[in-house]
Amino acid sequence: MAGRGPAPAVAKNIPAANARRVVDVTGLYVTPGLIDIHAHAGVDRPASGLSYPANMNFSSGLTTIVDAGTWGARDFPEIKRTIIDPAQIRVLSFLNIVAAGMGSEKEQDIREMDAELCAATIKKYRDVIVGIKTAHYWTSLPWDATHPPWASVDRAIEAGTLADVPVMVDFWPRPPERPYEDLILKKMRPGDIHTHVFAQQFPVLLENGKINPIYAEARRRGVIFDVGHGGGSFWFRNAVPAVKQGFIPDSISTDLHMGSVNGPVVDMITTMSKMMAIGIPLEDIIRRSTVNPAKEIRRPELGTLSVGREADIAVIELRRGKFSYIDCGRAKMTGDVKLENRMTLRAGRVVYDPTGISMVEWSKAPKQYFMSPKKQSDPPSTAEPK
Ligand SMILES: [Zn+2]
């Protein structure tokens, strides 16, 4: 692996002499920086207490995260200034159709779901807003005049059409007025993303254990299925039989927030490991954490390693042994593989390297490492090459 040499290159064998710096990644997988399209990024908002500090995601090999609807149109300029712009990791956003964003009773107020305001905000911030999110709308109380069953989905799709961006849907079926089949077979457009696909409330399997044919039908229509694990949206009883029958979600994502970081999600690399332990081949795991999510948010340049792009890279180790994983139903599954992210580069800089694969053994460090600064303004004791 070489970088910032005489000419940038992505190739299997680059002569070490052509590189400014060489990192030995023998036995490891070098992949494009990972992309999590269902994150909740930020500094916490007092209203929701939800979001996980964005740059901490480097530990999973992520170099791009997409906030899934924490923010709506009303706060977006402030959020961009305080969270998106200062983050070292690339932060993009699915804007909540609810102008007040996630985490208050306003999520239930259809006056907050202004498709034109949402679309206008997207058009203004196309560099960082990649789609729209609908979630958490009227999941249990009786229908009434101010709460039509499809309000949130319909307004989100209307805004998606106005701004020409995909909609990510977090959904709770309520038949007969709001059946699940209508969502994926009628309402969602090609390219719209159904997150939380293995949540407890979805009929992934028929009573005979076979995969529900509506999923293949929805896929033929172009509907995208995303993991969106979360604190309450992933069950082995749905995921394992579905994967064994060949239904693999299009993208792997975490729905990582303060309520899921200490389990059951933990992080992106754990979610990828879990999906691999279920039986998805490594190549498909990587594709669904890089190329596919990049395509889903219409940023295909982000999911690849190529000359002329920012060098966003993850270096991953595949370990074999006995490892167990947990779901949102407080059940576990034992598997024989685990992925470990060993190093992350964001825009060509090492931003995560806890075992020092890019570093020199201390006893062999250059002279500067052994120098004690006399004053604070003296050069620090570092082994880092100049
Ligand atoms: Zn979420």
Side-chain angles (χ1 to χ4, degrees):
M1 208 171 104
R4 288 180 285 177
V10 178
K12 207 164 185 179
N13 293 301
I14 300 171
N18 288 0
R20 213 179 81 173
R21 188 161 169 188
V22 177
V23 177
D24 184 358
V25 292
T26 307
L28 306 175
Y29 292 91
V30 177
T31 79
L34 306 178
I35 304 171
D36 183 355
I37 60 159
H38 191 150
H40 292 280
V43 170
D44 279 5
R45 294 205 317 169
S48 65
L50 194 70
S51 301
Y52 181 71
N55 289 341
M56 290 183 74
N57 289 289
F58 283 141
S59 61
S60 265
L62 288 162
T63 52
T64 299
I65 57 171
V66 189
D67 182 88
T70 317
W71 318 312
R74 196 165 299 134
D75 296 330
F76 196 79
E78 177 66 5
I79 292 292
K80 182 174 181 299
R81 194 179 65 78
T82 56
I83 296 177
I84 297 179
D85 292 345
Q88 194 180 3
I89 196 167
R90 184 184 292 100
V91 181
L92 304 172
S93 165
F94 284 100
L95 194 68
N96 203 310
I97 184 61
V98 175
M102 205 170 266
S104 77
E105 71 288 348
K106 296 228 165 85
E107 286 188 280
Q108 309 305 329
D109 184 348
I110 60 172
R111 292 168 302 182
E112 284 284 314
M113 301 169 193
D114 183 337
E116 289 190 2
L117 172 66
C118 182
T121 308
I122 294 167
K123 286 177 187 171
K124 198 166 166 195
Y125 297 103
R126 276 203 195 277
D127 53 335
V128 285
I129 305 181
V130 296
I132 296 162
K133 178 80 184 289
T134 163
H136 310 158
Y137 172 66
W138 218 248
T139 53
S140 55
L141 293 172
W143 306 115
D144 61 35
T146 57
H147 298 99
W150 289 99
S152 176
V153 168
D154 284 346
R155 301 255 173 115
I157 289 174
E158 189 189 334
T161 304
L162 287 172
D164 188 26
V165 290
V167 172
M168 177 184 272
V169 182
D170 162 322
F171 188 76
W172 199 278
R174 291 190 64 185
E177 296 87 353
R178 195 170 72 188
Y180 181 60
E181 292 73 8
D182 284 6
L183 177 76
I184 63 171
L185 299 182
K186 291 181 185 158
K187 295 277 184 184
M188 290 176 76
R189 307 164 302 163
D192 286 340
I193 304 159
H194 175 351
T195 192
H196 303 317
V197 64
F198 294 135
Q200 57 183 332
Q201 68 265 32
F202 298 121
V204 179
L205 305 171
L206 300 172
E207 271 179 20
N208 63 11
K210 293 271 180 266
I211 190 131
N212 192 331
I214 61 173
Y215 285 83
E217 205 180 327
R219 275 194 158 158
R220 280 194 293 274
R221 296 184 61 242
V223 170
I224 307 288
F225 292 97
D226 173 65
V227 172
H229 189 306
S233 300
F234 183 92
W235 266 256
F236 289 127
R237 68 167 167 80
N238 279 344
V240 177
V243 167
K244 300 271 185 241
Q245 292 176 63
F247 179 81
I248 303 179
D250 300 284
S251 46
I252 296 172
S253 68
T254 61
D255 189 12
L256 191 63
H257 51 69
M258 294 315 277
S260 64
V261 65
N262 289 319
V265 176
V266 184
D267 58 18
M268 180 71 171
I269 200 78
T270 302
T271 308
M272 292 162 68
S273 299
K274 189 178 296 183
M275 300 309 291
M276 191 170 172
I278 287 174
I280 302 176
L282 179 64
E283 220 180 273
D284 284 311
I285 296 289
I286 301 298
R287 183 178 299 125
R288 283 155 171 79
S289 314
T290 53
V291 180
N292 283 11
K295 249 191 259 168
E296 291 170 22
I297 59 170
R298 302 189 194 163
R299 297 287 178 96
E301 73 280 8
L302 296 182
T304 59
L305 290 176
S306 51
V307 174
R309 306 287 184 211
E310 286 186 334
D312 285 359
I313 296 169
V315 177
I316 293 172
E317 181 176 356
L318 169 59
R319 296 174 57 196
R320 301 218 175 257
K322 193 177 166 198
F323 305 101
S324 50
Y325 300 96
I326 60 173
D327 74 4
C328 302
R330 300 198 63 77
K332 73 175 170 185
M333 184 198 75
T334 305
D336 60 3
V337 284
K338 184 179 171 71
L339 298 170
E340 194 178 314
N341 178 53
R342 295 288 303 276
M343 183 165 78
T344 310
L345 279 81
R346 166 77 183 106
R349 287 178 177 276
V350 175
V351 290
Y352 181 81
D353 180 14
T355 58
I357 52 176
S358 70
M359 300 175 201
V360 65
E361 188 73 29
W362 74 270
S363 57
K364 294 179 186 144
K367 200 171 148 219
Q368 182 60 35
Y369 173 80
F370 295 94
M371 305 293 284
S372 296
K374 301 283 179 287
K375 317 188 282 292
Q376 217 174 7
S377 56
D378 285 347
S381 304
T382 180
E384 191 78 359
K386 278 196 193 112

